[in-house]
Amino acid sequence: MTVKTDINFRITGPCLSFLLRDSECSTSDQMGFLIGEKSSVTTQIISDAEMEEQKIETTISINGTYPVGLPFVFCSSLGRVDETTLKEVLNTFEKDVVGWYSFRRNSSSGVSLRETLLHRELSRVLSHDMAQYFVFCVITTSEADRNATNFLKFTFFSQNHRRLQPVSVTETNLGEPEDNIYRKSTVVDESFKRLKQVLRSVNGDNSKMAMTQI
């Protein structure tokens, strides 16, 4: 039996907006964690040749952020994590961490060597699954037109064969339900009929005028 694994990353629109806004409003570079959850769906597929295949689709959903302020709060300048301090910083959020982010002003959007080492450390300490499920977001800002215009750029990364590679993250928004179809309520309909009968008995031929006024 062959097994295929697909990984999807998602982030809610409000969460992404808050992440970018909070980073832009910060007075200096900062770091923080991405809060969310993991869900998996397993599908068994049997082909005409009676070959069995298993498909595992895993979705990492990011729905919150946990900023911790200045860098090096829980790690050294070389990217070594102090596990005791990290657990104190995260407290009850530790089990909900699905990744982390780094915000840098006037910097390239590439991943530094220290960030690569730090990602491996955080993935080892916090990730309860495979390393590729743990996501990293780099946010950078730059200025143009004599500081009149600010540009924000963000890129998500995931570890693949000990290297951090860019991954696609889908932004999800709160929208109307798919079955958003007007359904006639029988309770309201019967009440309206009774009201109409009362108006007719009171107003006689002027019932249409009375209904319009209501």
Side-chain angles (χ1 to χ4, degrees), residues 6-199:
D6 292 333
I7 304 176
N8 302 312
F9 295 96
R10 296 180 180 179
I11 185 170
T12 62
C15 177
L16 180 59
S17 298
F18 178 82
L19 175 61
L20 298 179
R21 178 62 177 171
D22 182 65
S23 298
E24 175 62 22
C25 292
S26 65
T27 57
S28 61
D29 297 351
Q30 70 170 356
M31 297 169 59
F33 294 93
L34 303 173
I35 308 299
E37 59 185 358
K38 186 198 77 168
S39 59
S40 297
V41 176
T42 302
T43 305
Q44 298 286 350
I45 302 174
I46 301 178
S47 64
D48 295 337
E50 297 185 356
M51 297 292 294
E52 187 175 356
E53 179 180 300
Q54 186 180 71
K55 181 179 179 181
I56 303 176
E57 186 173 1
T58 301
T59 300
I60 307 298
S61 301
I62 305 169
N63 49 44
T65 62
Y66 188 83
V68 296
L70 297 175
F72 314 127
V73 173
F74 54 85
C75 64
S76 67
S77 58
L78 298 178
R80 298 296 182 183
V81 172
D82 185 332
E83 296 188 26
T84 302
T85 303
L86 178 61
K87 292 181 181 296
E88 292 177 352
V89 169
L90 290 175
N91 201 353
T92 58
F93 288 100
E94 179 182 351
K95 65 181 186 306
D96 299 319
V97 173
V98 295
W100 68 292
Y101 68 90
S102 174
F103 170 68
R104 301 187 246 108
R105 291 187 179 276
N106 301 318
S107 173
S108 66
S109 58
V111 181
S112 66
L113 177 59
R114 184 182 66 85
E115 289 172 336
T116 301
L117 297 175
L118 179 56
H119 182 84
R120 293 176 184 174
E121 284 278 285
L122 291 175
S123 177
R124 176 184 62 82
V125 176
L126 298 175
S127 181
H128 306 289
D129 296 289
M130 293 184 290
Q132 57 262 42
Y133 293 156
F134 200 70
V135 67
F136 171 46
C137 179
V138 175
I139 308 170
T140 58
T141 181
S142 59
E143 298 175 344
D145 298 333
R146 297 181 180 179
N147 300 336
T149 305
N150 292 329
F151 295 93
L152 275 174
K153 182 178 181 180
F154 61 93
T155 307
F156 287 88
F157 297 86
S158 177
Q159 185 173 326
N160 187 10
H161 300 295
R162 298 185 63 82
R163 295 183 59 186
L164 286 174
Q165 297 182 351
V167 294
S168 176
V169 176
T170 303
E171 180 183 354
T172 58
N173 292 298
L174 297 177
E176 296 181 350
E178 296 179 358
D179 58 345
N180 185 25
I181 302 174
Y182 174 76
R183 292 180 174 83
K184 192 175 183 180
S185 172
T186 56
V187 176
V188 175
D189 189 44
E190 291 300 325
S191 299
F192 183 79
K193 287 180 179 179
R194 288 196 296 269
L195 176 60
K196 190 175 181 180
Q197 291 173 356
V198 171
L199 289 173

